[in-house]
Amino acid sequence: MVFRFWAALLLFCLASSAVAGSATLQALRADLASGSLKPVLARQALVSIPDKLLARWVQDIPIEQFAITGFNQNRARFAARVRLHFVDGRVGFLRLEGEPGPDYRLTGLYDYSSGLELSELIAYGDQFNHGQGKAFLTMLHKRPDAPELATLAADHPMLQALWLAQCSGKPCEEQALAAQAVTDKPALWQLEKALDADLEDYRKISQTLRGALGDDPYLWWLEGQQALLQQRCEWVQADLARAWQRHTEHRLLADVALQCYMATGPGGTEFLDQLSAALGADTLSAAIRNYYQQQGTPVPTLYQPWTVPGDY
């Protein structure tokens, strides 16, 4: 799981030189290039929030690299879809919108990993200073793994999402994930729950995320990783193979697609031929050998010809 943002404005991919040269786009790139989300969050125009208070709500994870995978604007509004690569190896997706210009202002932010929406967080604002809200925020910072948090966040999807965002990549993530309520917002955490439950639910959620984030190879990669972890490769393997065929330059996607292919048991070998042609016979043979060594099982007879370097 990881970071934040979306809203109602339809998003289109970069298409024209006018958009490519957008002052808004240039400013957004500069902010993200800082390696932190702080410059972006400082642009929010929803309400005046002290930096210290905003820092308590939203953890700042160092950004190693980023990609703006969709951008659109007119005179009054802009919308952007952003993929973030964090220094710890995790990947997250943002959806943001606002008023365009070199000094752009944000009015909508959404984290596709946790389902946290900044406008909802800010609307809850004063309630963090007393009663249940204060108890939740205090507990979240002192004991993020406390079981009491589930009770305090019950019937408050925004608090549940905040808990998950704060626990992303930490030991308390499993507890926060278990506390998430059903929602019609697209969120990456839904994949894990769906893969643990029902094939039709999984397909519906996967399609919804694809509609929101596009045919992003890193989204397929995350999906494949989760399927491997939950031993559901039979649900996703064919889709992963087709996704890699659309993104043959993506080595991480090739790796997870190969692992899921082998996890489903010996079948046809056309996919191995395609991987060998794209990656090279030596690379493929090493990947197959490494996979079965890690599993502690021999390479199936059907796949053994592909373990001989340089033969295919």
Side-chain angles (χ1 to χ4, degrees), residues 16-212:
S16 68
S17 58
V19 172
S22 162
T24 309
L25 184 59
Q26 293 174 7
L28 178 58
R29 289 186 182 280
D31 284 348
L32 292 169
S34 71
S36 168
L37 277 177
K38 288 181 179 178
V40 176
L41 292 173
R43 304 271 194 167
Q44 68 83 22
L46 297 168
V47 69
S48 177
I49 307 174
D51 290 343
K52 289 184 178 179
L53 182 56
L54 190 59
R56 291 185 68 196
W57 288 348
V58 181
Q59 64 166 321
D60 188 46
I61 305 174
I63 301 168
E64 185 172 57
Q65 57 182 306
F66 68 91
I68 298 177
T69 62
F71 184 85
N72 187 48
Q73 78 171 63
N74 57 30
R75 292 182 179 180
R77 308 293 297 166
F78 82 91
R81 184 175 61 210
V82 180
R83 184 178 67 236
L84 299 177
H85 300 254
F86 300 101
V87 294
D88 59 7
R90 288 178 292 144
V91 176
F93 298 88
L94 316 179
R95 173 76 164 84
L96 29 102
E97 69 170 53
E99 303 162 3
D103 297 318
Y104 71 90
R105 304 297 291 169
L106 294 179
T107 57
L109 305 96
Y110 182 77
D111 171 15
Y112 282 105
S113 295
S114 65
L116 183 65
E117 191 161 12
L118 190 60
S119 61
E120 294 179 354
L121 187 66
I122 291 172
Y124 193 85
D126 187 56
Q127 298 179 65
F128 282 121
N129 295 321
H130 52 78
Q132 181 178 354
K134 183 176 182 179
F136 173 85
L137 197 59
T138 300
M139 185 74 71
L140 179 63
H141 286 276
K142 290 185 176 180
R143 293 180 54 208
D145 60 347
E148 294 89 341
L149 282 169
T151 301
L152 290 170
D155 301 320
H156 293 279
M158 187 279 300
L159 295 182
Q160 296 165 357
L162 176 58
W163 185 13
L164 184 58
Q166 292 292 75
C167 284
S168 178
K170 299 178 181 178
C172 56
E173 183 175 340
E174 185 175 350
Q175 289 171 271
L177 178 62
Q180 300 304 303
V182 175
T183 174
D184 57 0
K185 294 180 179 179
L188 291 174
W189 64 261
Q190 297 167 349
L191 282 173
E192 184 172 344
K193 286 198 170 186
L195 283 166
D196 192 42
D198 182 79
L199 174 59
E200 291 306 314
D201 282 349
Y202 157 70
R203 286 176 173 166
K204 180 179 178 181
I205 289 168
S206 177
Q207 185 176 15
T208 299
L209 284 168
R210 209 74 50 207

